[in-house]
Amino acid sequence: EDIQRTKKNGGKIILVGGPAIVHTGADESVSTLIHGGYIDAVLAGNALAVHDIEYATLGTSLGMNVRDGTLAVRGHRNHMEAINAVFKAGSIEKMVKSKKLRRGIMYECVKKKVPFVLAGSLRDDGPLPDVITDVELAQKKYKEILKGASMVIMVATMLHSIATGNMLPANVKVIVVDINQPTVTKLMDRGTWQALGIVSDAGAFLPMVAEEIQKNTRAT
């Protein structure tokens, strides 16, 4: 209801996401929210994009079959294959335009012209050509996206959630969702008093949100 009310009033909703969105099977729910116009921008790191593209093209996330949790044959290679596929295309947008990427979070961002910023870190594999490896520049781009935000939904990423929380004025509603309780507490204890913390698995929580929004949309 909060998401729908914000959009009805012309508000701007930002998603800050980590790769556990994909690992836990919530990728399609986020894609649905972007496709439906409920997400106005995505802030993340290299990993969310890599595993979203891995899942969209190979059906796995870190080599695990997302649908049933089984280990894919030679699946340990899959995330590197996804990275290489983006490099061969030239960028995520070019991969979509060449029809090599046909679904997923990054696909919906490109098709719906929803801006995204991928901030790099030392631990990144690749990273993807779209990732900003200059931390100061990445922070600047995050701030540009966050201007005028009404609501920020942070899911399964301590690093990017806390970074974003430190950039927000107190009038922006923050929803932070993580299976790890200390992550939720840590964000809320950093002076982000307006944050609502939800300790939950992203794979359980996000599909419920998407389902409720679709249900409410049909009802109206």
PDB file of all heavy atoms in Angstrom, residues 107-122:
ATOM      1  N   TYR A 107      17.588  -6.394 -17.605  1.00  0.00           N
ATOM      2  CA  TYR A 107      16.809  -6.323 -18.857  1.00  0.00           C
ATOM      3  C   TYR A 107      15.659  -5.330 -18.714  1.00  0.00           C
ATOM      4  O   TYR A 107      15.459  -4.467 -19.586  1.00  0.00           O
ATOM      5  CB  TYR A 107      16.270  -7.712 -19.204  1.00  0.00           C
ATOM      6  CG  TYR A 107      15.264  -7.723 -20.335  1.00  0.00           C
ATOM      7  CD1 TYR A 107      15.668  -7.742 -21.665  1.00  0.00           C
ATOM      8  CD2 TYR A 107      13.889  -7.702 -20.065  1.00  0.00           C
ATOM      9  CE1 TYR A 107      14.734  -7.742 -22.701  1.00  0.00           C
ATOM     10  CE2 TYR A 107      12.957  -7.699 -21.090  1.00  0.00           C
ATOM     11  CZ  TYR A 107      13.392  -7.720 -22.404  1.00  0.00           C
ATOM     12  OH  TYR A 107      12.453  -7.710 -23.428  1.00  0.00           O
ATOM     13  N   GLU A 108      14.904  -5.431 -17.624  1.00  0.00           N
ATOM     14  CA  GLU A 108      13.763  -4.539 -17.412  1.00  0.00           C
ATOM     15  C   GLU A 108      14.221  -3.094 -17.242  1.00  0.00           C
ATOM     16  O   GLU A 108      13.556  -2.161 -17.709  1.00  0.00           O
ATOM     17  CB  GLU A 108      12.933  -4.985 -16.207  1.00  0.00           C
ATOM     18  CG  GLU A 108      12.188  -6.299 -16.401  1.00  0.00           C
ATOM     19  CD  GLU A 108      11.112  -6.244 -17.477  1.00  0.00           C
ATOM     20  OE1 GLU A 108      10.735  -5.139 -17.909  1.00  0.00           O
ATOM     21  OE2 GLU A 108      10.651  -7.318 -17.893  1.00  0.00           O
ATOM     22  N   CYS A 109      15.364  -2.892 -16.580  1.00  0.00           N
ATOM     23  CA  CYS A 109      15.899  -1.537 -16.425  1.00  0.00           C
ATOM     24  C   CYS A 109      16.168  -0.911 -17.792  1.00  0.00           C
ATOM     25  O   CYS A 109      15.811   0.249 -18.045  1.00  0.00           O
ATOM     26  CB  CYS A 109      17.187  -1.557 -15.601  1.00  0.00           C
ATOM     27  SG  CYS A 109      16.944  -1.748 -13.827  1.00  0.00           S
ATOM     28  N   VAL A 110      16.788  -1.684 -18.672  1.00  0.00           N
ATOM     29  CA  VAL A 110      17.114  -1.170 -20.012  1.00  0.00           C
ATOM     30  C   VAL A 110      15.842  -0.918 -20.814  1.00  0.00           C
ATOM     31  O   VAL A 110      15.669   0.156 -21.409  1.00  0.00           O
ATOM     32  CB  VAL A 110      18.036  -2.148 -20.761  1.00  0.00           C
ATOM     33  CG1 VAL A 110      18.220  -1.712 -22.225  1.00  0.00           C
ATOM     34  CG2 VAL A 110      19.403  -2.237 -20.072  1.00  0.00           C
ATOM     35  N   LYS A 111      14.928  -1.897 -20.814  1.00  0.00           N
ATOM     36  CA  LYS A 111      13.708  -1.785 -21.626  1.00  0.00           C
ATOM     37  C   LYS A 111      12.790  -0.666 -21.129  1.00  0.00           C
ATOM     38  O   LYS A 111      12.145   0.012 -21.926  1.00  0.00           O
ATOM     39  CB  LYS A 111      12.945  -3.123 -21.627  1.00  0.00           C
ATOM     40  CG  LYS A 111      13.691  -4.264 -22.292  1.00  0.00           C
ATOM     41  CD  LYS A 111      13.989  -4.017 -23.762  1.00  0.00           C
ATOM     42  CE  LYS A 111      12.783  -4.226 -24.631  1.00  0.00           C
ATOM     43  NZ  LYS A 111      13.107  -4.119 -26.079  1.00  0.00           N
ATOM     44  N   LYS A 112      12.729  -0.477 -19.815  1.00  0.00           N
ATOM     45  CA  LYS A 112      11.850   0.532 -19.231  1.00  0.00           C
ATOM     46  C   LYS A 112      12.549   1.875 -19.024  1.00  0.00           C
ATOM     47  O   LYS A 112      11.963   2.799 -18.472  1.00  0.00           O
ATOM     48  CB  LYS A 112      11.287   0.032 -17.894  1.00  0.00           C
ATOM     49  CG  LYS A 112      10.266  -1.094 -18.033  1.00  0.00           C
ATOM     50  CD  LYS A 112       8.981  -0.564 -18.646  1.00  0.00           C
ATOM     51  CE  LYS A 112       7.913  -1.616 -18.761  1.00  0.00           C
ATOM     52  NZ  LYS A 112       6.651  -1.071 -19.317  1.00  0.00           N
ATOM     53  N   LYS A 113      13.834   1.930 -19.436  1.00  0.00           N
ATOM     54  CA  LYS A 113      14.643   3.157 -19.275  1.00  0.00           C
ATOM     55  C   LYS A 113      14.717   3.582 -17.805  1.00  0.00           C
ATOM     56  O   LYS A 113      14.648   4.770 -17.477  1.00  0.00           O
ATOM     57  CB  LYS A 113      14.099   4.286 -20.149  1.00  0.00           C
ATOM     58  CG  LYS A 113      14.262   4.015 -21.644  1.00  0.00           C
ATOM     59  CD  LYS A 113      13.781   5.170 -22.487  1.00  0.00           C
ATOM     60  CE  LYS A 113      14.141   5.030 -23.947  1.00  0.00           C
ATOM     61  NZ  LYS A 113      13.793   3.746 -24.564  1.00  0.00           N
ATOM     62  N   VAL A 114      14.845   2.597 -16.927  1.00  0.00           N
ATOM     63  CA  VAL A 114      15.030   2.838 -15.499  1.00  0.00           C
ATOM     64  C   VAL A 114      16.534   2.940 -15.238  1.00  0.00           C
ATOM     65  O   VAL A 114      17.271   1.992 -15.505  1.00  0.00           O
ATOM     66  CB  VAL A 114      14.414   1.696 -14.659  1.00  0.00           C
ATOM     67  CG1 VAL A 114      14.814   1.808 -13.193  1.00  0.00           C
ATOM     68  CG2 VAL A 114      12.896   1.699 -14.807  1.00  0.00           C
ATOM     69  N   PRO A 115      17.020   4.086 -14.764  1.00  0.00           N
ATOM     70  CA  PRO A 115      18.460   4.238 -14.557  1.00  0.00           C
ATOM     71  C   PRO A 115      18.991   3.300 -13.474  1.00  0.00           C
ATOM     72  O   PRO A 115      18.293   3.002 -12.505  1.00  0.00           O
ATOM     73  CB  PRO A 115      18.615   5.704 -14.141  1.00  0.00           C
ATOM     74  CG  PRO A 115      17.283   6.101 -13.622  1.00  0.00           C
ATOM     75  CD  PRO A 115      16.271   5.297 -14.376  1.00  0.00           C
ATOM     76  N   PHE A 116      20.214   2.828 -13.660  1.00  0.00           N
ATOM     77  CA  PHE A 116      20.859   2.012 -12.637  1.00  0.00           C
ATOM     78  C   PHE A 116      22.312   2.448 -12.490  1.00  0.00           C
ATOM     79  O   PHE A 116      22.935   2.903 -13.445  1.00  0.00           O
ATOM     80  CB  PHE A 116      20.774   0.513 -12.971  1.00  0.00           C
ATOM     81  CG  PHE A 116      21.428   0.109 -14.266  1.00  0.00           C
ATOM     82  CD1 PHE A 116      22.791  -0.203 -14.321  1.00  0.00           C
ATOM     83  CD2 PHE A 116      20.680   0.012 -15.438  1.00  0.00           C
ATOM     84  CE1 PHE A 116      23.392  -0.588 -15.513  1.00  0.00           C
ATOM     85  CE2 PHE A 116      21.272  -0.365 -16.639  1.00  0.00           C
ATOM     86  CZ  PHE A 116      22.629  -0.671 -16.675  1.00  0.00           C
ATOM     87  N   VAL A 117      22.814   2.331 -11.264  1.00  0.00           N
ATOM     88  CA  VAL A 117      24.219   2.626 -10.985  1.00  0.00           C
ATOM     89  C   VAL A 117      24.817   1.412 -10.296  1.00  0.00           C
ATOM     90  O   VAL A 117      24.293   0.955  -9.272  1.00  0.00           O
ATOM     91  CB  VAL A 117      24.391   3.870 -10.087  1.00  0.00           C
ATOM     92  CG1 VAL A 117      25.881   4.115  -9.815  1.00  0.00           C
ATOM     93  CG2 VAL A 117      23.761   5.101 -10.719  1.00  0.00           C
ATOM     94  N   LEU A 118      25.892   0.886 -10.858  1.00  0.00           N
ATOM     95  CA  LEU A 118      26.594  -0.261 -10.282  1.00  0.00           C
ATOM     96  C   LEU A 118      27.929   0.225  -9.745  1.00  0.00           C
ATOM     97  O   LEU A 118      28.793   0.646 -10.508  1.00  0.00           O
ATOM     98  CB  LEU A 118      26.798  -1.350 -11.342  1.00  0.00           C
ATOM     99  CG  LEU A 118      25.533  -1.842 -12.067  1.00  0.00           C
ATOM    100  CD1 LEU A 118      25.898  -2.858 -13.134  1.00  0.00           C
ATOM    101  CD2 LEU A 118      24.523  -2.421 -11.085  1.00  0.00           C
ATOM    102  N   ALA A 119      28.068   0.199  -8.422  1.00  0.00           N
ATOM    103  CA  ALA A 119      29.285   0.694  -7.773  1.00  0.00           C
ATOM    104  C   ALA A 119      30.236  -0.468  -7.506  1.00  0.00           C
ATOM    105  O   ALA A 119      29.845  -1.479  -6.920  1.00  0.00           O
ATOM    106  CB  ALA A 119      28.927   1.392  -6.464  1.00  0.00           C
ATOM    107  N   GLY A 120      31.474  -0.314  -7.929  1.00  0.00           N
ATOM    108  CA  GLY A 120      32.450  -1.391  -7.812  1.00  0.00           C
ATOM    109  C   GLY A 120      33.096  -1.500  -6.450  1.00  0.00           C
ATOM    110  O   GLY A 120      33.030  -0.593  -5.619  1.00  0.00           O
ATOM    111  N   SER A 121      33.735  -2.660  -6.196  1.00  0.00           N
ATOM    112  CA  SER A 121      34.521  -2.857  -4.976  1.00  0.00           C
ATOM    113  C   SER A 121      35.694  -3.776  -5.311  1.00  0.00           C
ATOM    114  O   SER A 121      35.745  -4.384  -6.385  1.00  0.00           O
ATOM    115  CB  SER A 121      33.669  -3.477  -3.859  1.00  0.00           C
ATOM    116  OG  SER A 121      33.307  -4.808  -4.184  1.00  0.00           O
ATOM    117  N   LEU A 122      36.637  -3.891  -4.398  1.00  0.00           N
ATOM    118  CA  LEU A 122      37.850  -4.673  -4.629  1.00  0.00           C
ATOM    119  C   LEU A 122      37.574  -6.148  -4.895  1.00  0.00           C
ATOM    120  O   LEU A 122      38.337  -6.811  -5.580  1.00  0.00           O
ATOM    121  CB  LEU A 122      38.784  -4.565  -3.410  1.00  0.00           C
ATOM    122  CG  LEU A 122      39.551  -3.250  -3.250  1.00  0.00           C
ATOM    123  CD1 LEU A 122      40.225  -3.212  -1.890  1.00  0.00           C
ATOM    124  CD2 LEU A 122      40.583  -3.077  -4.346  1.00  0.00           C
TER     125      LEU A 122
END
